[in-house]
Amino acid sequence: MRSVDVLFLIEHVDRELDAASCIVEVLERRFAISADIRNYYSDMLFCLGRYQPAIVVTPFCYFLDHHPMKDYAAAWPKALFFNMAWEQILYRMNETVKVPKDAFARGRVHHVCWTRKYRDFIAALGADPNKLHLTGNPVMKFYDAPYNDYFAARRELAGRYGLDPGRKWVLFPENYRWAFLSEGQMAAFVAQDASPHHLAAARQYCVSSLTALFETLQELNRADDPLVILRPRPATSAHEMTAFMRKAAPRGAANVRIIKGESAREWILAADHVISSYSTTLIEAAIAGKPLHVFSPVPFPEALADEWYRHAPLLKSRQELLAAIRAPGRKAASAPLEAWARETLLPNGDPLQIIAERIAALRRALPNYGRQSTADHRRLWTGQILIETARKRLQSSRRYHDYVRGRDPRYAFTLNKHEKDVFGAHDVARRIRRWRALARARGDSEVCLAQEASHASGPGWRPEHKSP
């Protein structure tokens, strides 16, 4: 067993790993707190046999009776659990599912809250108000300087994927998740209190809208048409999306590329125009200052209703979608949506610094059992990189996961759903090096960021436990 101050557990690399590695870099540099980052699912058995963490940072926590959450809680009964809660912009369909639902999640776990609305919502459901941390959404801060310098530039992406940097790039980061759910997955949501009526309406909406999207995109067959980059959501594979496109657009779509490489952030920063369904990537596009539209060829069902849609310009037909894609020049972003996003999702300053400060304060308030120095920790972490490169290749094999699942019924990783979510120590180390280089480069501005975050964390908040 190896004691470590903080163990970050990641579900989706694109959604979480950049933010986690940034926070870890701050924890190590500003607070001398050691931290490791592992996959929530595929590294479960490895983590249970190797770590004794003081704080466990999870991607979500709705209830205890779920593998591997209950395995982590049983293995580390003295650890403090800190939930990053990566899904907080809830519409009618998931507001009964994506919330703390039992005594463990409501009473023992600390929760990151992006908005006052979400904080008050889960407090009303019984979550301990003393464990709710109003921080803002860390991803939204990535579109501001100096963080945006971390991501790959447009020309780099063009070279990597064989794209013409001189053409207009229209990014479509899709969120038609309900179109791809199996009957078994639908039943599982119903078991978690989702409405069968809402589920059916959401699936019908997503199937109809995605079909209309591909039927429209196959009309982009002129040589001077813009390039549409369709990026599947993290839990939808590129193979599933390509199969859907071939069925919906039998004539092909010459100017459409389905690309799941990189995170949505690189593509948003590089794109000339962002169009999507009800995906919250449109909120990110607004903060990034990009022209944007919501495409909804049929009315939104009650199941998917949410407040922020009214702040974004709407395309209601295929003709409007084609016209928007082909429109020359570059319009301004949606000012109402950007204003709403900054006020609602960045209420306290810099969420990345605030989250690091909250974790550091909680760590200081815990007993100092078996603490490892950050220097020793870094030496051990660096020494694992070559070994874990081979381990990552092994974990990318479907046969490996079938074998592990056969040996241990607790094992829950699904390679199809998590096709990009196997990572190793070298991936983490590379990201931390990039964040550290940015921290060195920004010099005096780093002090300003730290002061801003310290001010934003507020004098009224105190950790639950007093230092011994």
Side-chain angles (χ1 to χ4, degrees), residues 141-153 156 266 269 434-435 437-439 441-442 445:
K141 196 62 180 173
F142 282 154
Y143 296 97
D144 292 337
Y147 296 106
N148 52 11
D149 287 338
Y150 169 90
F151 300 99
E156 185 178 346
E266 277 92 352
L269 287 165
R434 288 169 67 185
W435 287 123
L438 271 179
R442 66 184 181 241
S445 65

PDB file of all heavy atoms in Angstrom, residues 141-153 156 266 269 434-435 437-439 441-442 445:
ATOM      1  N   LYS A 141     -13.266  27.938 -17.398  1.00  0.00           N
ATOM      2  CA  LYS A 141     -12.118  28.832 -17.238  1.00  0.00           C
ATOM      3  C   LYS A 141     -11.036  28.566 -18.277  1.00  0.00           C
ATOM      4  O   LYS A 141     -10.186  29.432 -18.541  1.00  0.00           O
ATOM      5  CB  LYS A 141     -11.548  28.692 -15.823  1.00  0.00           C
ATOM      6  CG  LYS A 141     -10.617  29.818 -15.410  1.00  0.00           C
ATOM      7  CD  LYS A 141     -11.322  31.168 -15.381  1.00  0.00           C
ATOM      8  CE  LYS A 141     -10.390  32.303 -14.978  1.00  0.00           C
ATOM      9  NZ  LYS A 141     -11.049  33.616 -15.108  1.00  0.00           N
ATOM     10  N   PHE A 142     -11.054  27.388 -18.890  1.00  0.00           N
ATOM     11  CA  PHE A 142     -10.027  27.042 -19.871  1.00  0.00           C
ATOM     12  C   PHE A 142     -10.052  27.939 -21.106  1.00  0.00           C
ATOM     13  O   PHE A 142      -9.076  27.977 -21.861  1.00  0.00           O
ATOM     14  CB  PHE A 142     -10.191  25.581 -20.312  1.00  0.00           C
ATOM     15  CG  PHE A 142      -9.670  24.583 -19.317  1.00  0.00           C
ATOM     16  CD1 PHE A 142     -10.203  23.302 -19.281  1.00  0.00           C
ATOM     17  CD2 PHE A 142      -8.649  24.896 -18.449  1.00  0.00           C
ATOM     18  CE1 PHE A 142      -9.718  22.366 -18.384  1.00  0.00           C
ATOM     19  CE2 PHE A 142      -8.156  23.967 -17.543  1.00  0.00           C
ATOM     20  CZ  PHE A 142      -8.702  22.696 -17.512  1.00  0.00           C
ATOM     21  N   TYR A 143     -11.154  28.640 -21.345  1.00  0.00           N
ATOM     22  CA  TYR A 143     -11.250  29.481 -22.542  1.00  0.00           C
ATOM     23  C   TYR A 143     -10.681  30.875 -22.313  1.00  0.00           C
ATOM     24  O   TYR A 143     -10.609  31.679 -23.246  1.00  0.00           O
ATOM     25  CB  TYR A 143     -12.705  29.553 -23.009  1.00  0.00           C
ATOM     26  CG  TYR A 143     -13.203  28.189 -23.435  1.00  0.00           C
ATOM     27  CD1 TYR A 143     -13.923  27.390 -22.562  1.00  0.00           C
ATOM     28  CD2 TYR A 143     -12.882  27.675 -24.683  1.00  0.00           C
ATOM     29  CE1 TYR A 143     -14.346  26.117 -22.934  1.00  0.00           C
ATOM     30  CE2 TYR A 143     -13.287  26.414 -25.066  1.00  0.00           C
ATOM     31  CZ  TYR A 143     -14.019  25.638 -24.189  1.00  0.00           C
ATOM     32  OH  TYR A 143     -14.415  24.371 -24.557  1.00  0.00           O
ATOM     33  N   ASP A 144     -10.262  31.155 -21.097  1.00  0.00           N
ATOM     34  CA  ASP A 144      -9.653  32.447 -20.768  1.00  0.00           C
ATOM     35  C   ASP A 144      -8.139  32.292 -20.671  1.00  0.00           C
ATOM     36  O   ASP A 144      -7.622  31.210 -20.387  1.00  0.00           O
ATOM     37  CB  ASP A 144     -10.192  32.966 -19.433  1.00  0.00           C
ATOM     38  CG  ASP A 144     -11.666  33.348 -19.501  1.00  0.00           C
ATOM     39  OD1 ASP A 144     -12.152  33.622 -20.611  1.00  0.00           O
ATOM     40  OD2 ASP A 144     -12.330  33.371 -18.438  1.00  0.00           O
ATOM     41  N   ALA A 145      -7.424  33.401 -20.881  1.00  0.00           N
ATOM     42  CA  ALA A 145      -5.975  33.409 -20.663  1.00  0.00           C
ATOM     43  C   ALA A 145      -5.713  33.298 -19.158  1.00  0.00           C
ATOM     44  O   ALA A 145      -6.497  33.784 -18.344  1.00  0.00           O
ATOM     45  CB  ALA A 145      -5.384  34.700 -21.214  1.00  0.00           C
ATOM     46  N   PRO A 146      -4.628  32.644 -18.764  1.00  0.00           N
ATOM     47  CA  PRO A 146      -3.603  32.022 -19.604  1.00  0.00           C
ATOM     48  C   PRO A 146      -3.886  30.568 -19.967  1.00  0.00           C
ATOM     49  O   PRO A 146      -3.113  29.931 -20.670  1.00  0.00           O
ATOM     50  CB  PRO A 146      -2.367  32.106 -18.708  1.00  0.00           C
ATOM     51  CG  PRO A 146      -2.928  31.929 -17.321  1.00  0.00           C
ATOM     52  CD  PRO A 146      -4.266  32.611 -17.324  1.00  0.00           C
ATOM     53  N   TYR A 147      -5.002  30.017 -19.482  1.00  0.00           N
ATOM     54  CA  TYR A 147      -5.250  28.589 -19.650  1.00  0.00           C
ATOM     55  C   TYR A 147      -5.390  28.176 -21.110  1.00  0.00           C
ATOM     56  O   TYR A 147      -5.007  27.064 -21.495  1.00  0.00           O
ATOM     57  CB  TYR A 147      -6.515  28.189 -18.882  1.00  0.00           C
ATOM     58  CG  TYR A 147      -6.407  28.350 -17.392  1.00  0.00           C
ATOM     59  CD1 TYR A 147      -7.061  29.383 -16.741  1.00  0.00           C
ATOM     60  CD2 TYR A 147      -5.649  27.470 -16.620  1.00  0.00           C
ATOM     61  CE1 TYR A 147      -6.962  29.536 -15.363  1.00  0.00           C
ATOM     62  CE2 TYR A 147      -5.546  27.616 -15.246  1.00  0.00           C
ATOM     63  CZ  TYR A 147      -6.212  28.653 -14.626  1.00  0.00           C
ATOM     64  OH  TYR A 147      -6.111  28.805 -13.267  1.00  0.00           O
ATOM     65  N   ASN A 148      -5.956  29.049 -21.956  1.00  0.00           N
ATOM     66  CA  ASN A 148      -6.196  28.646 -23.340  1.00  0.00           C
ATOM     67  C   ASN A 148      -4.910  28.410 -24.125  1.00  0.00           C
ATOM     68  O   ASN A 148      -4.939  27.785 -25.188  1.00  0.00           O
ATOM     69  CB  ASN A 148      -7.109  29.648 -24.059  1.00  0.00           C
ATOM     70  CG  ASN A 148      -6.630  31.082 -23.947  1.00  0.00           C
ATOM     71  OD1 ASN A 148      -5.507  31.340 -23.504  1.00  0.00           O
ATOM     72  ND2 ASN A 148      -7.469  32.026 -24.352  1.00  0.00           N
ATOM     73  N   ASP A 149      -3.772  28.888 -23.628  1.00  0.00           N
ATOM     74  CA  ASP A 149      -2.498  28.614 -24.299  1.00  0.00           C
ATOM     75  C   ASP A 149      -2.067  27.156 -24.169  1.00  0.00           C
ATOM     76  O   ASP A 149      -1.148  26.710 -24.863  1.00  0.00           O
ATOM     77  CB  ASP A 149      -1.392  29.507 -23.717  1.00  0.00           C
ATOM     78  CG  ASP A 149      -1.525  30.954 -24.149  1.00  0.00           C
ATOM     79  OD1 ASP A 149      -2.180  31.192 -25.186  1.00  0.00           O
ATOM     80  OD2 ASP A 149      -1.010  31.837 -23.450  1.00  0.00           O
ATOM     81  N   TYR A 150      -2.712  26.413 -23.296  1.00  0.00           N
ATOM     82  CA  TYR A 150      -2.377  25.009 -23.060  1.00  0.00           C
ATOM     83  C   TYR A 150      -2.778  24.122 -24.238  1.00  0.00           C
ATOM     84  O   TYR A 150      -2.154  23.104 -24.506  1.00  0.00           O
ATOM     85  CB  TYR A 150      -3.102  24.560 -21.785  1.00  0.00           C
ATOM     86  CG  TYR A 150      -3.110  23.083 -21.482  1.00  0.00           C
ATOM     87  CD1 TYR A 150      -2.108  22.492 -20.715  1.00  0.00           C
ATOM     88  CD2 TYR A 150      -4.154  22.266 -21.916  1.00  0.00           C
ATOM     89  CE1 TYR A 150      -2.133  21.148 -20.408  1.00  0.00           C
ATOM     90  CE2 TYR A 150      -4.192  20.920 -21.613  1.00  0.00           C
ATOM     91  CZ  TYR A 150      -3.184  20.373 -20.857  1.00  0.00           C
ATOM     92  OH  TYR A 150      -3.222  19.029 -20.556  1.00  0.00           O
ATOM     93  N   PHE A 151      -3.807  24.513 -24.981  1.00  0.00           N
ATOM     94  CA  PHE A 151      -4.427  23.628 -25.957  1.00  0.00           C
ATOM     95  C   PHE A 151      -3.820  23.781 -27.349  1.00  0.00           C
ATOM     96  O   PHE A 151      -3.278  24.820 -27.705  1.00  0.00           O
ATOM     97  CB  PHE A 151      -5.937  23.884 -25.991  1.00  0.00           C
ATOM     98  CG  PHE A 151      -6.593  23.641 -24.662  1.00  0.00           C
ATOM     99  CD1 PHE A 151      -6.884  24.700 -23.811  1.00  0.00           C
ATOM    100  CD2 PHE A 151      -6.871  22.354 -24.250  1.00  0.00           C
ATOM    101  CE1 PHE A 151      -7.459  24.471 -22.577  1.00  0.00           C
ATOM    102  CE2 PHE A 151      -7.440  22.113 -23.014  1.00  0.00           C
ATOM    103  CZ  PHE A 151      -7.739  23.172 -22.169  1.00  0.00           C
ATOM    104  N   ALA A 152      -3.935  22.696 -28.146  1.00  0.00           N
ATOM    105  CA  ALA A 152      -3.363  22.669 -29.490  1.00  0.00           C
ATOM    106  C   ALA A 152      -3.998  23.736 -30.367  1.00  0.00           C
ATOM    107  O   ALA A 152      -5.215  23.962 -30.328  1.00  0.00           O
ATOM    108  CB  ALA A 152      -3.579  21.292 -30.115  1.00  0.00           C
ATOM    109  N   ALA A 153      -3.172  24.404 -31.172  1.00  0.00           N
ATOM    110  CA  ALA A 153      -3.650  25.470 -32.054  1.00  0.00           C
ATOM    111  C   ALA A 153      -4.278  24.879 -33.317  1.00  0.00           C
ATOM    112  O   ALA A 153      -4.107  23.706 -33.640  1.00  0.00           O
ATOM    113  CB  ALA A 153      -2.498  26.392 -32.426  1.00  0.00           C
ATOM    114  N   GLU A 156      -1.974  23.155 -35.828  1.00  0.00           N
ATOM    115  CA  GLU A 156      -1.536  21.857 -35.325  1.00  0.00           C
ATOM    116  C   GLU A 156      -2.616  20.798 -35.544  1.00  0.00           C
ATOM    117  O   GLU A 156      -2.330  19.680 -35.970  1.00  0.00           O
ATOM    118  CB  GLU A 156      -1.192  21.968 -33.839  1.00  0.00           C
ATOM    119  CG  GLU A 156      -0.607  20.697 -33.247  1.00  0.00           C
ATOM    120  CD  GLU A 156      -0.224  20.864 -31.786  1.00  0.00           C
ATOM    121  OE1 GLU A 156      -0.156  22.020 -31.314  1.00  0.00           O
ATOM    122  OE2 GLU A 156      -0.018  19.841 -31.115  1.00  0.00           O
ATOM    123  N   GLU A 266     -10.189  21.852 -27.677  1.00  0.00           N
ATOM    124  CA  GLU A 266      -9.317  22.192 -28.802  1.00  0.00           C
ATOM    125  C   GLU A 266     -10.133  22.595 -30.028  1.00  0.00           C
ATOM    126  O   GLU A 266      -9.821  23.565 -30.721  1.00  0.00           O
ATOM    127  CB  GLU A 266      -8.408  21.019 -29.169  1.00  0.00           C
ATOM    128  CG  GLU A 266      -7.155  20.900 -28.331  1.00  0.00           C
ATOM    129  CD  GLU A 266      -7.338  20.009 -27.120  1.00  0.00           C
ATOM    130  OE1 GLU A 266      -8.484  19.601 -26.845  1.00  0.00           O
ATOM    131  OE2 GLU A 266      -6.343  19.727 -26.444  1.00  0.00           O
ATOM    132  N   LEU A 269     -11.955  26.012 -29.644  1.00  0.00           N
ATOM    133  CA  LEU A 269     -11.009  27.120 -29.794  1.00  0.00           C
ATOM    134  C   LEU A 269     -10.563  27.294 -31.244  1.00  0.00           C
ATOM    135  O   LEU A 269     -10.285  28.412 -31.687  1.00  0.00           O
ATOM    136  CB  LEU A 269      -9.785  26.884 -28.895  1.00  0.00           C
ATOM    137  CG  LEU A 269     -10.035  27.082 -27.393  1.00  0.00           C
ATOM    138  CD1 LEU A 269      -8.891  26.486 -26.578  1.00  0.00           C
ATOM    139  CD2 LEU A 269     -10.198  28.566 -27.077  1.00  0.00           C
ATOM    140  N   ARG A 434       3.002  20.401 -18.960  1.00  0.00           N
ATOM    141  CA  ARG A 434       2.503  21.535 -19.743  1.00  0.00           C
ATOM    142  C   ARG A 434       1.887  22.597 -18.835  1.00  0.00           C
ATOM    143  O   ARG A 434       2.099  23.800 -19.038  1.00  0.00           O
ATOM    144  CB  ARG A 434       1.474  21.037 -20.762  1.00  0.00           C
ATOM    145  CG  ARG A 434       2.094  20.248 -21.911  1.00  0.00           C
ATOM    146  CD  ARG A 434       1.055  19.554 -22.745  1.00  0.00           C
ATOM    147  NE  ARG A 434       0.199  20.493 -23.479  1.00  0.00           N
ATOM    148  CZ  ARG A 434      -0.853  20.113 -24.202  1.00  0.00           C
ATOM    149  NH1 ARG A 434      -1.169  18.836 -24.274  1.00  0.00           N
ATOM    150  NH2 ARG A 434      -1.565  21.010 -24.852  1.00  0.00           N
ATOM    151  N   TRP A 435       1.126  22.163 -17.830  1.00  0.00           N
ATOM    152  CA  TRP A 435       0.551  23.141 -16.899  1.00  0.00           C
ATOM    153  C   TRP A 435       1.649  23.847 -16.110  1.00  0.00           C
ATOM    154  O   TRP A 435       1.580  25.054 -15.872  1.00  0.00           O
ATOM    155  CB  TRP A 435      -0.435  22.472 -15.946  1.00  0.00           C
ATOM    156  CG  TRP A 435      -1.739  22.075 -16.560  1.00  0.00           C
ATOM    157  CD1 TRP A 435      -2.300  20.833 -16.586  1.00  0.00           C
ATOM    158  CD2 TRP A 435      -2.677  22.938 -17.234  1.00  0.00           C
ATOM    159  NE1 TRP A 435      -3.512  20.859 -17.223  1.00  0.00           N
ATOM    160  CE2 TRP A 435      -3.774  22.139 -17.627  1.00  0.00           C
ATOM    161  CE3 TRP A 435      -2.691  24.299 -17.527  1.00  0.00           C
ATOM    162  CZ2 TRP A 435      -4.874  22.668 -18.310  1.00  0.00           C
ATOM    163  CZ3 TRP A 435      -3.788  24.825 -18.209  1.00  0.00           C
ATOM    164  CH2 TRP A 435      -4.859  24.019 -18.587  1.00  0.00           C
ATOM    165  N   ALA A 437       4.739  24.382 -17.056  1.00  0.00           N
ATOM    166  CA  ALA A 437       5.433  25.322 -17.940  1.00  0.00           C
ATOM    167  C   ALA A 437       4.622  26.606 -18.109  1.00  0.00           C
ATOM    168  O   ALA A 437       5.183  27.717 -18.123  1.00  0.00           O
ATOM    169  CB  ALA A 437       5.683  24.673 -19.303  1.00  0.00           C
ATOM    170  N   LEU A 438       3.293  26.465 -18.217  1.00  0.00           N
ATOM    171  CA  LEU A 438       2.451  27.659 -18.301  1.00  0.00           C
ATOM    172  C   LEU A 438       2.516  28.478 -17.023  1.00  0.00           C
ATOM    173  O   LEU A 438       2.544  29.709 -17.055  1.00  0.00           O
ATOM    174  CB  LEU A 438       0.997  27.253 -18.569  1.00  0.00           C
ATOM    175  CG  LEU A 438       0.567  27.102 -20.024  1.00  0.00           C
ATOM    176  CD1 LEU A 438      -0.888  26.666 -20.101  1.00  0.00           C
ATOM    177  CD2 LEU A 438       0.753  28.403 -20.794  1.00  0.00           C
ATOM    178  N   ALA A 439       2.543  27.786 -15.887  1.00  0.00           N
ATOM    179  CA  ALA A 439       2.620  28.490 -14.601  1.00  0.00           C
ATOM    180  C   ALA A 439       3.909  29.288 -14.507  1.00  0.00           C
ATOM    181  O   ALA A 439       3.921  30.424 -14.033  1.00  0.00           O
ATOM    182  CB  ALA A 439       2.519  27.491 -13.449  1.00  0.00           C
ATOM    183  N   ALA A 441       5.647  30.386 -17.087  1.00  0.00           N
ATOM    184  CA  ALA A 441       5.645  31.425 -18.114  1.00  0.00           C
ATOM    185  C   ALA A 441       4.795  32.618 -17.717  1.00  0.00           C
ATOM    186  O   ALA A 441       5.102  33.758 -18.083  1.00  0.00           O
ATOM    187  CB  ALA A 441       5.149  30.851 -19.438  1.00  0.00           C
ATOM    188  N   ARG A 442       3.709  32.385 -16.964  1.00  0.00           N
ATOM    189  CA  ARG A 442       2.825  33.507 -16.665  1.00  0.00           C
ATOM    190  C   ARG A 442       3.334  34.369 -15.521  1.00  0.00           C
ATOM    191  O   ARG A 442       2.825  35.454 -15.288  1.00  0.00           O
ATOM    192  CB  ARG A 442       1.394  33.026 -16.409  1.00  0.00           C
ATOM    193  CG  ARG A 442       1.174  32.182 -15.172  1.00  0.00           C
ATOM    194  CD  ARG A 442      -0.285  31.719 -15.124  1.00  0.00           C
ATOM    195  NE  ARG A 442      -0.568  30.921 -13.945  1.00  0.00           N
ATOM    196  CZ  ARG A 442      -0.978  29.673 -13.961  1.00  0.00           C
ATOM    197  NH1 ARG A 442      -1.109  29.057 -15.132  1.00  0.00           N
ATOM    198  NH2 ARG A 442      -1.243  29.017 -12.854  1.00  0.00           N
ATOM    199  N   SER A 445       1.410  36.982 -13.197  1.00  0.00           N
ATOM    200  CA  SER A 445      -0.037  36.773 -13.319  1.00  0.00           C
ATOM    201  C   SER A 445      -0.483  35.605 -12.458  1.00  0.00           C
ATOM    202  O   SER A 445      -1.632  35.536 -12.039  1.00  0.00           O
ATOM    203  CB  SER A 445      -0.430  36.520 -14.778  1.00  0.00           C
ATOM    204  OG  SER A 445       0.143  35.315 -15.248  1.00  0.00           O
TER     205      SER A 445
END
